[in-house]
C-alpha cells in the first residue's frame, strides 16, 4: 500500500511538473536551453565576478580620490572666503578709523582757509599802508 501511495504521489508530481512546463509556454527544448544558459551564465559569472569586483574596487578608489580632491578644493575655497572676509573687516575698521581723521582734516582745512583770509586782509592792508606812506613822503 505504501508503494502505491508513493507511486501516486510521483505521478502527481510528474503530472504537475509537466503541466507547469507546458502551461508556461515552453517546451522541453526551451527548458534544456535555459538550463544550458544558466550553466554558461554560472561559468561566466565565476570568471567575470572577479573582474566585476576589481572594477568595483577601482571605482570605489576613484570616487574616494575624487571626494578627497573636492574636499581639499572646498577647504581651499573656505579658507579663501575666510581670508577675504578678514580683509573686508580690516578695511571696514580702517574706514571707520579714517572717518575721524577725515572730519579732523575738514576742520583743519576750514581753519587754514580762515587763516588765509586773515593773511590776505593783512597783506592788502600792508600794501595800502605802504602806498599811503610812499605818497606821503613824496608829496
Amino acid at each position: 500500500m505504501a508503494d502505491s501511495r508513493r507511486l501516486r504521489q510521483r505521478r502527481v508530481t510528474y503530472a504537475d511538473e509537466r503541466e507547469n512546463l507546458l502551461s508556461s509556454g515552453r517546451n522541453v527544448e526551451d527548458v534544456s536551453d535555459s538550463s544550458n544558459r544558466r550553466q554558461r551564465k554560472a561559468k561566466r559569472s565565476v570568471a567575470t565576478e572577479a573582474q566585476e569586483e576589481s572594477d568595483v574596487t577601482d571605482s570605489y578608489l576613484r570616487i574616494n580620490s575624487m571626494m578627497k580632491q573636492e574636499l581639499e578644493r572646498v577647504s581651499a575655497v573656505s579658507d579663501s572666503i575666510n581670508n577675504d572676509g578678514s580683509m573686508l573687516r580690516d578695511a571696514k575698521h580702517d574706514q571707520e578709523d579714517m572717518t575721524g581723521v577725515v572730519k579732523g582734516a575738514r576742520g583743519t582745512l576750514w581753519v587754514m582757509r580762515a587763516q588765509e583770509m586773515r593773511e590776505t586782509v593783512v597783506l592788502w592792508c600792508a600794501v595800502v599802508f605802504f602806498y599811503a606812506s610812499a605818497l606821503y613822503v613824496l608829496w
Side-chain angles (χ1 to χ4, degrees):
M1 278 214 37
D3 291 335
S4 66
R5 283 185 188 171
R6 285 185 191 167
L7 186 60
R8 192 180 308 154
Q9 286 176 350
R10 284 185 187 171
R11 284 182 192 163
V12 171
T13 306
Y14 292 137
D16 290 341
E17 287 179 6
R18 182 176 177 181
E19 189 169 308
N20 285 338
L21 289 174
L22 294 176
S23 68
S24 65
R26 296 182 186 172
N27 57 22
V28 177
E29 292 174 6
D30 288 342
V31 172
S32 65
D33 286 343
S34 68
S35 66
N36 287 340
R37 273 188 251 137
R38 281 190 219 129
Q39 288 175 355
R40 280 183 275 157
K41 189 174 182 182
K43 288 179 184 176
R44 193 172 7 147
S45 295
V46 171
T48 60
E49 189 173 310
Q51 180 64 33
E52 288 176 2
E53 288 177 7
S54 176
D55 291 345
V56 168
T57 303
D58 291 343
S59 176
Y60 170 74
L61 291 174
R62 280 193 309 271
I63 291 171
N64 193 12
S65 173
M66 286 174 26
M67 289 175 70
K68 284 181 182 178
Q69 289 173 352
E70 284 299 311
L71 184 61
E72 290 172 1
R73 187 185 67 80
V74 168
S75 177
V77 168
S78 177
D79 290 343
S80 176
I81 289 172
N82 289 338
N83 290 339
D84 291 347
S86 66
M87 285 175 42
L88 288 173
R89 281 190 293 280
D90 291 344
K92 181 181 177 186
H93 181 68
D94 290 345
Q95 181 187 8
E96 289 172 353
D97 290 344
M98 294 298 281
T99 303
V101 172
V102 169
K103 286 181 182 177
R106 285 181 186 159
T108 304
L109 284 173
W110 185 80
V111 169
M112 288 177 73
R113 284 185 194 132
Q115 186 177 359
E116 182 182 2
M117 291 297 272
R118 275 186 252 124
E119 288 176 357
T120 304
V121 169
V122 169
L123 177 68
W124 284 108
C125 287
V127 168
V128 169
F129 181 73
F130 173 75
Y131 283 120
S133 301
L135 281 176
Y136 179 72
V137 169
L138 291 174
W139 195 44

